[in-house]
Amino acid sequence: MGNQWGLGLQFIIVTIIMVAITNTCLGARNINSTVACFEHELLALLKFKHSVTYDYGMLSSGVGNDCCHWEKVMCDGVTGHVESLHLSGGLVSKELSTSLGELRHLKHLDLSWNSFQGSRIPEFIGSLRQLTYLNLSYADFSGIIPYHIGNLSNLKSLDLSYGFNVLIAHDVNWIYGLSSLEHLDLSYVNLTGLKILDVVLYMAPSVKVLSLSYCGILIDDRGLLLRNSSTTLSNIKHRDLRGNISQVNSLTFFKT
């Protein structure tokens, strides 16, 4: 009888534990399933959508009051904040809407292969301080790259390459602020106005992949950057310097 009572008690305890675990898990799933984007972020995305002249159906899923269920938008499953925008290809707009500056929790922004019709990269990009990935390649921006990009200290990948118009960098001091940067692509950006090209690399010691093709910089016949320095940056694992001005010089920046 005692054994039966002990077994029954054990059964009751196990049952209570299982019910508690099940309810906890269900509760967690319910919390995550009901998370919706914040109203100010929804309004920001709606303003951005309305600023676009053509989207070729890319933003067709952008309806309803929960932007976390839009096709091109990803939200944090716990907080509900918008953290990723995958908007590559198909957008046509006179300029990039400042409303995106309200997405302060954004980590991933891909606006590549769009047409912003030769407008400048807006300064508010520098306010998106949580960004780890920024891709504005083939996006038809022009003019001087804003130094505000240097505020993005969490940025790991920056791609400003291949603008249909010309991006210009007379001063790249903003690179100093990109302390986490690992991938930098400035291909086809006009760098001919730089007085000290070494600074591009000294400012970004964490860069592992560097693309500076067709930038109007001087290289020697082995494809090495020309500067009065013999320093080797061992952190750079891949570099692309194609299409630059070839000139023989015994003092090179990279050594093989």
Side-chain angles (χ1 to χ4, degrees):
M1 185 71 179
N3 289 338
Q4 290 179 347
W5 170 252
L7 291 173
L9 182 59
Q10 291 178 4
F11 176 78
I12 293 172
I13 293 173
V14 171
T15 301
I16 292 173
I17 293 173
M18 291 300 295
V19 169
I21 292 174
T22 301
N23 288 336
T24 300
C25 293
L26 287 174
R29 283 198 295 269
N30 288 335
I31 289 173
N32 288 331
S33 65
T34 58
V35 165
C37 66
F38 288 82
E39 182 178 0
H40 72 282
E41 295 184 341
L42 171 63
L43 292 175
L45 289 173
L46 288 173
K47 288 180 182 178
F48 168 73
K49 181 181 179 181
H50 294 151
S51 73
V52 174
T53 307
Y54 301 104
D55 66 7
Y56 296 97
M58 192 196 314
L59 299 175
S60 59
S61 67
V63 294
N65 294 324
D66 187 3
C67 58
C68 292
H69 286 85
W70 294 6
E71 182 180 352
K72 302 295 183 178
V73 179
M74 293 185 65
C75 297
D76 185 287
V78 176
T79 67
H81 285 295
V82 175
E83 65 177 9
S84 296
L85 291 181
H86 302 269
L87 299 172
S88 177
L91 299 179
V92 178
S93 180
K94 292 182 179 180
E95 61 183 1
L96 183 59
S97 173
T98 58
S99 64
L100 292 187
E102 298 297 320
L103 306 179
R104 299 302 174 90
H105 298 270
L106 200 61
K107 297 180 180 179
H108 182 109
L109 179 58
D110 186 353
L111 293 170
S112 60
W113 289 97
N114 294 306
S115 176
F116 291 98
Q117 302 182 327
S119 62
R120 294 197 171 193
I121 297 174
E123 295 178 359
F124 78 79
I125 288 289
S127 68
L128 303 175
R129 295 175 180 264
Q130 299 302 314
L131 278 181
T132 60
Y133 178 92
L134 177 60
N135 189 346
L136 302 181
S137 64
Y138 292 97
D140 201 13
F141 287 109
S142 67
I144 298 174
I145 298 172
Y147 69 87
H148 303 78
I149 286 182
N151 294 332
L152 306 178
S153 59
N154 291 309
L155 202 63
K156 293 185 177 181
S157 179
L158 175 62
D159 192 342
L160 302 178
S161 64
Y162 295 91
F164 298 118
N165 286 287
V166 178
L167 283 173
I168 304 170
H170 294 315
D171 182 350
V172 291
N173 287 332
W174 46 268
I175 293 181
Y176 267 126
L178 307 181
S179 55
S180 302
L181 198 64
E182 297 179 358
H183 179 281
L184 176 62
D185 193 340
L186 298 178
S187 299
Y188 284 89
V189 173
N190 186 342
L191 299 179
T192 57
L194 290 182
K195 295 180 180 180
I196 304 176
L197 185 57
D198 302 5
V199 78
V200 175
L201 302 177
Y202 279 124
M203 288 179 182
S206 59
V207 169
K208 298 178 182 178
V209 178
L210 175 70
S211 297
L212 296 175
S213 60
Y214 298 93
C215 290
I217 57 179
L218 291 178
I219 60 174
D220 71 2
D221 57 348
R222 293 175 296 165
L224 308 179
L225 292 180
L226 290 176
R227 278 295 153 185
N228 293 328
S229 174
S230 60
T231 303
T232 300
L233 295 184
S234 58
N235 54 291
I236 296 181
K237 307 302 180 184
H238 174 77
R239 67 179 185 270
D240 183 358
L241 303 173
R242 294 172 298 167
N244 287 296
I245 303 170
S246 180
Q247 178 177 329
V248 177
N249 191 316
S250 59
L251 295 175
T252 60
F253 196 85
F254 284 110
K255 287 193 172 184
T256 54

